[in-house]
Amino acid sequence: NGGGTLVNQYTIIYDLYWPGSGIIPLFNCQNTNNAPNDGSLFLQGNAIGQGTYTMTHTNVSAGWHRIAVSVDLSQSLVTKWVDGVKAQDWVASADGLDAARRAWQPLVLLFADGDGDDHSQTTYVSSVQVRNGKLGDAQMVLLGGPSASKIPQGIPDTSVTGQWDF
C-alpha cells in the first residue's frame, strides 16, 4: 500500500478465454454491495478499460489470453498487459491513493459490475492471481501468455497473495 487507507498497489492477472466480442467486467472494487453503479475494469471491444479510458493497443482477439493489470495509485498509474506484451501505461492524475474505482476495499468482486448490465458474454477462466504491489515491466514479461500450467508464481521480488486455478 502506497499510503491512503485502501489497497492501492496491486497486480491482478487472469488466464481467460475471450470470445472476441461483448463486455466482461474483470472486477468491481467500488461497489462491493452491488449497488447500482458500474464495475472497475472491463474487457470490452478487444480492449481493457473503464469509462473514458481504454487501451490504445487493442490486441485482445478471440481466444485464450493472459490479461494483467498492474496498479500503483501513489503514481496514479495503471499498466495493462496482454500475453506478456505491454499494452498501455494509463496515468490518471486526479485519481489519488484511494480512488473509488481502482483502490481495493476489503471485499473485491471478480467478474462483476455494480448494475448487472455489463456481462454480455460467457467467459472461461483457467486461473486468477493477485500479487502484492505493482509488477514492473521486466517482471510482467516473465509471465508471458496463458498456459495449461496456470499463472507462474516464481517471479523475483514479488509475492502472490492469492491464486485460484480452475
Side-chain angles (χ1 to χ4, degrees):
N1 198 349
T5 60
L6 302 176
V7 175
N8 55 48
Q9 293 176 328
Y10 60 90
T11 299
I12 185 164
I13 306 157
Y14 303 86
D15 277 3
L16 57 80
Y17 181 85
W18 169 243
S21 64
I23 303 170
I24 304 297
L26 295 175
F27 64 86
N28 179 355
C29 58
Q30 180 180 11
N31 300 298
T32 56
N33 62 356
N34 269 330
N37 207 321
D38 214 358
S40 300
L41 204 62
F42 298 88
L43 183 53
Q44 174 179 355
N46 299 335
I48 303 167
Q50 164 259 309
T52 59
Y53 80 88
T54 57
M55 287 192 331
T56 54
H57 179 77
T58 56
N59 61 348
V60 189
S61 58
W64 283 97
H65 293 283
R66 181 162 290 153
I67 305 293
V69 179
S70 200
V71 177
D72 183 351
L73 295 179
S74 71
Q75 298 179 38
S76 296
L77 182 61
V78 177
T79 303
K80 303 171 220 173
W81 294 79
V82 179
D83 299 331
V85 177
K86 187 175 187 175
Q88 180 184 24
D89 275 334
W90 181 72
V91 179
S93 58
D95 269 3
L97 292 173
D98 292 331
R101 236 172 155 160
R102 283 168 283 285
W104 285 19
Q105 299 175 29
L107 178 65
V108 175
L109 304 176
L110 298 180
F111 305 105
D113 73 343
D115 53 9
D117 66 339
D118 291 323
H119 208 301
S120 64
Q121 294 293 329
T122 299
T123 301
Y124 299 98
V125 180
S126 172
S127 190
V128 178
Q129 184 183 93
V130 177
R131 288 182 173 268
N132 184 28
K134 181 184 184 304
L135 272 78
D137 293 354
Q139 294 165 320
M140 295 297 280
V141 168
L142 293 174
L143 289 174
S147 69
S149 59
K150 311 300 181 193
I151 302 168
Q153 294 191 17
I155 295 177
D157 302 320
T158 68
S159 62
V160 174
T161 55
Q163 180 157 334
W164 302 266
D165 297 323
F166 308 98

